Amino acid sequence: MKRTWWKEGVIYQVYPRSFNDSNGDGIGDVPGVIEKLDYIKSLGIDIIWLCPVYKSPNDDNGYDIADYYNIMDEFGTMEDFDRLLAGVHERGMKLIMDLVVNHTSDENAWFVESRTSRNNPKRDYYIWKDGKNGGPPNNWQSFFGGDAWAYDEQTHQYYLRLFTKKQPDLNWENEAMRKDVHTMMRYWMDKGIDGFRMDVISLLSKRNFEDTNFLGFNETIEHVYANGPKIHDYLQEMHREVLADHDVMTVGEGPGISLQQGLNYVHEDRNELSMIFHFDHMFIDHGPGGKFDPVKYDLVHFKEIFAQWDKLMVKGGWSSLFLGNHDFPRMVSRFGNDNDYHAESAKALALMLLTMRGTPYIYQGDEIGMTNIAFDDITDYRDIETHNVYRSIKEQNGDLDKLMAAIHWQGRDNARTPVQWDASANGGFTTGDPWIKVNSNYSDINVALQEHDEDSILNFYRQAVACRKTHGELVYADFEVIDVLNPRVFAYWRRSDEAKYLVLINFTEDTLPFAVAELDQGETMEMLLANYASPTTLVDGRFELKPWEAVLYQIN
Ligand code: TEU
Ligand code: CA
């Protein structure tokens, strides 16, 4: 397995709007990120992934880009960005930028031109079609609900928009458009950034625009919207034109990329991407009706997903490890217990994230165990996806109480409340009026409080990151799940010729006995990391795991 910095690094994801507001307008900004670079560095972070900061009308919080060459007014200026990049590099860290090129904003100059007439030179930068039987060209549905097509009065055609109406999909068949995207990418590379996180990269190549007849939306993504016939041509071309000969990393966001296609995106011989984010564990609790129809998830299935992807990636790819981001619930609320075992389960999940094989991504605020929010009033929500689904259920006279419960559980704003820095007003995020309410638990859960507590979740993250650095084998050693069918404990080996580690994590509120058959007589166990002051030890051939107990042993 080839060794490199982006395999060994730990990544921290910044969602700037909710990170830190430097000027009191209630919106996090680039100077706000600069103020916190020492903090990020103090976690042991090597690489920062910065969510979109480009000029945008913010229909989808920056994932709708109006100008790829400028910074969003609310976030600051290009000078601020240049200072940020320099500040990251001065501290020995790297910066990767979000690249959103499946779609632009409808306010992007390309689209403004494209929609003016059917024969405008930019017309084919987007996907325009005639309607069918008085309706849209086909039955495709938007990721955010409703038809995936928007009708344009001016030229009497529909344009494809897999996300919001203000996010028209680019037409990757168009060579001039692809060249413009490459030029734009080179502009950022020339500034010295260290790579890209590529938004919904699996969706670039569109299939024939035929009606679909899949039942579930996630299946439709895999078989209809993602993995189109030319996706690998586009990625190889991008690699050739922009990325080759630069020491950069890329991570492609991959809704619809299943085990069958996973390796094609990342195999080291293919010259496409360094890693992808697959969604198998993120969609694990989606019911037949999708994310707002949640079902209970099963730990056996969860473990299988990690085992299968690791087994696949060992054939020449590399895994990314994440348990949440700006699109999903808070990891401690979703996979842990944010009530009675808040600290224990937050640390248990951190231990898992930082002891598997792959590159770990820490989402802002998870390092202090930030939790979901549950606003009672729909008007307190900001996410367009949440508002769309609310509107549509209301129009259908559906069960709004049930929907609110689902929003509390699955809504994207769970992860978008401001980072809780201290116990002052608004958690120290802003001196003004925050664009979205701060979670009311900020006086109990905040960075300042945890800085002073050596047993805090924050300091546990620091220890876990440091441990991964000291024990370099934790990056590359083989990963093997122990007792695969155990529905309550996630246990695994990390083994290589040089070292051997054992990880035990109790995913329940019960005390559980656990035996590890393969532990040899005469081996000594050194405890490296644990979330209880007196961690479990091997007694008469078995461990006894306390509620949400997690422990990492080195076996010698
Ligand atoms: O997300 C793409 C994506 O697949 C998500 O929409 C996911 O399916 C959804 O959040 C589940 O509800 C990316 C960005 O991360 C997201 O913030 C953007 O809204 C989206 O692309 C469009 O650019
Ligand atoms: Ca601001």
Side-chain angles (χ1 to χ4, degrees):
M1 206 170 261
K2 282 188 201 134
R3 304 200 162 207
T4 169
W5 59 269
W6 48 262
K7 294 182 179 173
E8 291 165 18
V10 176
I11 302 188
Y12 188 83
Q13 181 192 351
V14 172
Y15 191 72
R17 200 172 188 80
S18 305
F19 191 63
N20 183 34
D21 174 21
S22 71
N23 63 353
D25 67 353
I27 300 174
D29 44 51
V30 173
V33 182
I34 298 174
E35 287 175 8
K36 300 293 183 185
L37 285 178
D38 287 329
Y39 167 75
I40 297 174
K41 178 73 184 174
S42 81
L43 300 170
I45 297 303
D46 306 284
I47 304 160
I48 296 174
W49 152 25
L50 186 65
C51 285
V53 293
Y54 314 92
K55 206 175 196 64
S56 165
N58 284 299
D59 195 44
D60 186 21
N61 289 358
Y63 283 92
D64 47 322
I65 299 175
D67 180 354
Y68 290 103
Y69 291 92
N70 273 301
I71 302 297
M72 190 191 299
D73 293 334
E74 295 94 320
F75 285 2
T77 61
M78 191 58 88
E79 287 68 44
D80 293 327
F81 175 81
D82 293 338
R83 276 197 301 128
L84 171 65
L85 181 60
V88 169
H89 285 161
E90 272 160 28
R91 289 167 179 78
M93 296 188 285
K94 300 192 184 263
L95 184 75
I96 66 171
M97 302 272 291
D98 227 300
L99 179 80
V100 188
V101 291
N102 174 69
H103 45 267
T104 68
S105 165
D106 65 341
E107 298 180 29
N108 190 295
W110 294 343
F111 190 76
V112 172
E113 277 196 48
S114 183
R115 82 188 324 173
T116 53
S117 76
R118 291 193 185 203
N119 48 26
N120 183 282
K122 294 276 188 301
R123 185 69 170 180
D124 283 340
Y125 271 40
Y126 295 86
I127 298 166
W128 291 97
K129 300 266 178 230
D130 290 326
K132 213 175 64 188
N133 313 324
N138 67 22
N139 69 355
W140 290 10
Q141 295 291 296
S142 157
F143 279 58
F144 296 152
D147 283 336
W149 299 92
Y151 184 68
D152 196 59
E153 293 287 342
Q154 200 167 328
T155 53
H156 304 289
Q157 277 192 315
Y158 289 82
Y159 60 87
L160 180 69
R161 49 95 178 179
L162 288 174
F163 294 90
T164 76
K165 273 195 194 79
K166 287 180 68 63
Q167 290 169 300
D169 282 56
L170 285 163
N171 176 18
W172 276 74
E173 298 274 341
N174 185 291
E175 197 185 341
M177 189 288 291
R178 296 204 304 277
K179 288 213 158 100
D180 279 348
V181 167
H182 299 155
T183 305
M184 177 273 287
M185 290 174 73
R186 279 193 290 265
Y187 168 82
W188 289 98
M189 299 263 296
D190 290 346
K191 279 186 175 281
I193 68 163
D194 303 289
F196 294 104
R197 174 271 188 189
M198 302 183 179
D199 194 60
V200 289
I201 206 69
S202 50
L203 307 184
L204 299 191
S205 167
K206 313 300 182 203
R207 286 206 173 68
N208 287 337
F209 295 88
E210 283 157 13
D211 280 349
T212 85
N213 48 20
F214 284 96
L215 295 175
F217 191 65
N218 292 343
E219 280 176 300
T220 316
I221 299 179
E222 178 182 346
H223 298 288
V224 181
Y225 305 142
N227 311 307
K230 296 196 184 150
I231 181 62
H232 298 293
D233 297 341
Y234 299 149
L235 290 177
Q236 285 167 16
E237 179 187 58
M238 185 186 275
H239 190 273
R240 214 167 43 237
E241 297 295 321
V242 184
L243 305 166
D245 309 322
H246 290 83
D247 188 17
V248 292
M249 66 158 277
T250 54
V251 52
E253 193 208 20
I257 301 182
S258 67
L259 285 164
Q260 282 70 46
Q261 307 94 12
L263 209 53
N264 293 340
Y265 285 84
V266 296
H267 193 285
E268 54 196 20
D269 296 341
R270 290 179 63 92
N271 294 320
E272 296 189 23
L273 302 170
S274 314
M275 310 173 234
I276 53 162
F277 294 127
H278 73 76
F279 285 130
D280 285 355
H281 59 312
M282 287 291 118
F283 290 173
I284 195 168
D285 54 2
H286 292 190
K291 68 183 286 184
F292 293 111
D293 180 25
V295 293
K296 261 198 163 354
Y297 88 97
D298 156 29
L299 188 68
V300 174
H301 184 200
F302 186 77
K303 296 195 293 188
E304 258 168 16
I305 291 170
F306 285 94
Q308 287 169 336
W309 277 92
D310 180 77
K311 208 165 139 198
L312 179 75
M313 288 303 161
V314 86
K315 296 178 190 159
W318 187 250
S319 296
S320 58
L321 304 168
F322 71 108
L323 293 172
N325 61 32
H326 64 293
D327 291 333
F328 293 95
R330 282 287 173 182
M331 69 187 234
V332 67
S333 302
R334 190 179 196 189
F335 299 116
N337 175 333
D338 64 7
N339 233 313
D340 297 340
Y341 294 97
H342 176 248
E344 291 84 352
S345 66
K347 291 175 188 175
L349 294 168
L351 189 142
M352 174 190 160
L353 186 64
L354 289 154
T355 60
M356 288 192 291
R357 173 158 56 189
T359 299
Y361 290 73
I362 299 172
Y363 178 60
Q364 68 182 35
D366 282 346
E367 76 276 18
I368 54 167
M370 280 181 62
T371 64
N372 282 354
I373 37 97
F375 298 133
D376 294 327
D377 189 340
I378 188 69
T379 62
D380 284 332
Y381 282 93
R382 294 289 173 269
D383 181 14
I384 186 154
E385 178 186 58
T386 297
H387 284 284
N388 284 355
V389 66
Y390 189 89
R391 195 179 319 111
S392 106
I393 297 293
K394 198 173 168 180
E395 277 164 13
Q396 297 159 33
N397 284 318
D399 185 342
L400 287 174
D401 290 337
K402 190 170 157 227
L403 177 67
M404 281 310 275
I407 290 171
H408 294 164
W409 184 238
Q410 292 279 13
R412 302 196 299 179
D413 283 338
N414 279 313
R416 298 177 179 185
T417 62
V419 171
Q420 297 161 202
W421 295 103
D422 58 39
S424 68
N426 293 316
F429 163 73
T430 180
T431 54
D433 211 3
W435 70 277
I436 184 171
K437 283 187 175 166
V438 178
N439 193 313
S440 59
N441 63 18
Y442 71 84
S443 41
D444 299 319
I445 302 175
N446 65 62
V447 172
L449 204 62
Q450 296 196 16
E451 285 288 1
H452 300 296
D453 171 5
E454 78 180 72
D455 287 333
S456 65
I457 300 167
L458 176 61
N459 282 315
F460 187 86
Y461 267 86
R462 290 187 171 125
Q463 283 171 35
V465 173
C467 183
R468 196 177 171 91
K469 297 284 158 64
T470 319
H471 297 272
E473 285 306 300
L474 281 174
V475 174
Y476 297 106
D478 284 344
F479 170 83
E480 191 195 335
V481 179
I482 302 167
D483 198 1
V484 183
L485 296 178
N486 186 317
R488 311 199 298 167
V489 176
F490 195 171
Y492 45 90
W493 290 113
R494 298 296 316 279
R495 288 186 285 212
S496 74
D497 292 341
E498 280 82 49
K500 182 166 164 186
Y501 304 94
L502 173 66
V503 174
L504 305 173
I505 307 168
N506 178 355
F507 265 74
T508 76
E509 286 72 35
D510 302 321
T511 298
L512 301 175
F514 191 79
V516 179
E518 289 168 77
L519 272 175
D520 296 329
Q521 296 278 329
E523 281 177 326
T524 59
M525 299 178 46
E526 185 192 347
M527 197 275 295
L528 298 181
L529 201 60
N531 63 347
Y532 275 86
S534 48
T536 181
T537 52
L538 192 61
V539 178
D540 296 335
R542 40 175 235 181
F543 296 91
E544 193 166 78
L545 298 170
K546 293 178 272 296
W548 286 102
E549 179 159 14
V551 56
L552 165 67
Y553 283 109
Q554 179 163 23
I555 315 284
N556 294 304

